[in-house]
Amino acid sequence: MSDDIAIRLQKVRQMHGYSQRELAKRAGVTNSSVSMIEQGRVSPSISSLEKLLKSIPMTLKDFFSFDPYSEAQYFYRQHEIEQEHQQGIEHFRLAEIDNKNKALSYSVYKPHSSSGESLLIADTDIVGFVVQGELEVTINNQVESLHPGDGFRITILSPYRFKNTSSESATIVTAS
């Protein structure tokens, strides 16, 4: 158990950019205490571990539930981003690895393209804004023409549609 705690504590400390000395100072413990825990020579009490984790901050639950052996991916090249192309629309979606329902996306609507004649039904809340061009957005039978910097919010189960009525491409960024 102390080896598991040692590896986890070292990984968490490094992820937050703290030296052993910095973590010890923040937690109000000695540097040698942190060092001995990370070497697996000492198994900390729950209260000692909580004290260290509060200075990060992190809960015991989070500490024991994350995988210290996985290598997180922080940057994505264009070829690694999920892409979908359909009648005049290009969708690019960057999903959270552990939760496929959380995503940041951008979509480019070619001139006179739309998400379809039928309204779509939102399976989650969606927020977004127009970053380029002009886009007609329908939400719950309300229709607005949005321009760069304008935003929108679609709540779960709301019917919606995006339509580019102009002769220039329109780009939106959404988070869901």
Side-chain angles (χ1 to χ4, degrees):
M1 180 66 146
S2 63
D3 284 343
D4 183 55
I5 291 173
I7 292 166
R8 287 175 185 278
L9 184 61
Q10 183 178 37
K11 188 77 165 188
V12 165
R13 176 182 58 76
Q14 290 171 343
M15 282 172 29
H16 287 83
Y18 298 146
S19 65
Q20 286 182 348
R21 189 174 311 281
E22 176 68 19
L23 179 60
K25 182 180 173 184
R26 288 172 166 268
V29 300
T30 65
N31 182 42
S32 62
S33 296
V34 174
S35 176
M36 290 179 69
I37 293 168
E38 286 189 4
Q39 291 173 27
R41 294 173 51 195
V42 172
S43 185
S45 67
I46 295 294
S47 62
S48 296
L49 185 56
E50 281 182 319
K51 191 174 186 178
L52 286 167
L53 294 176
K54 280 183 183 175
S55 67
I56 289 177
M58 178 180 259
T59 66
L60 278 172
K61 180 183 176 210
D62 291 340
F63 180 75
F64 285 108
S65 63
F66 95 99
D67 181 2
Y69 301 103
S70 71
E71 289 298 322
Q73 184 173 358
Y74 299 108
F75 304 100
Y76 299 85
R77 298 293 178 204
Q78 188 173 21
H79 70 275
E80 297 173 303
I81 296 173
E82 183 180 319
Q83 297 179 28
E84 180 184 334
H85 304 278
Q86 63 187 58
Q87 300 176 348
I89 307 167
E90 297 175 345
H91 297 287
F92 301 87
R93 184 173 189 267
L94 187 56
E96 183 177 301
I97 302 305
D98 297 335
N99 182 353
K100 290 291 184 183
N101 292 330
K102 269 189 184 174
L104 178 65
S105 305
Y106 76 92
S107 301
V108 179
Y109 287 78
K110 301 292 183 198
H112 308 290
S113 65
S114 75
S115 57
E117 289 304 313
S118 303
L119 296 177
L120 303 171
I121 302 296
D123 58 0
T124 187
D125 289 345
I126 304 168
V127 295
F129 57 93
V130 176
V131 294
Q132 177 186 356
E134 180 181 337
L135 198 65
E136 180 184 279
V137 180
T138 304
I139 304 170
N140 287 333
N141 293 320
Q142 293 183 32
V143 181
E144 289 288 333
S145 182
L146 301 181
H147 300 89
D150 293 341
F152 57 88
R153 182 174 67 98
I154 304 168
T155 56
I156 191 167
L157 301 179
S158 294
Y160 71 97
R161 175 178 47 228
F162 300 114
K163 187 175 187 180
N164 184 349
T165 58
S166 76
S167 58
E168 294 182 24
S169 290
T171 303
I172 59 171
V173 173
T174 59
S176 58

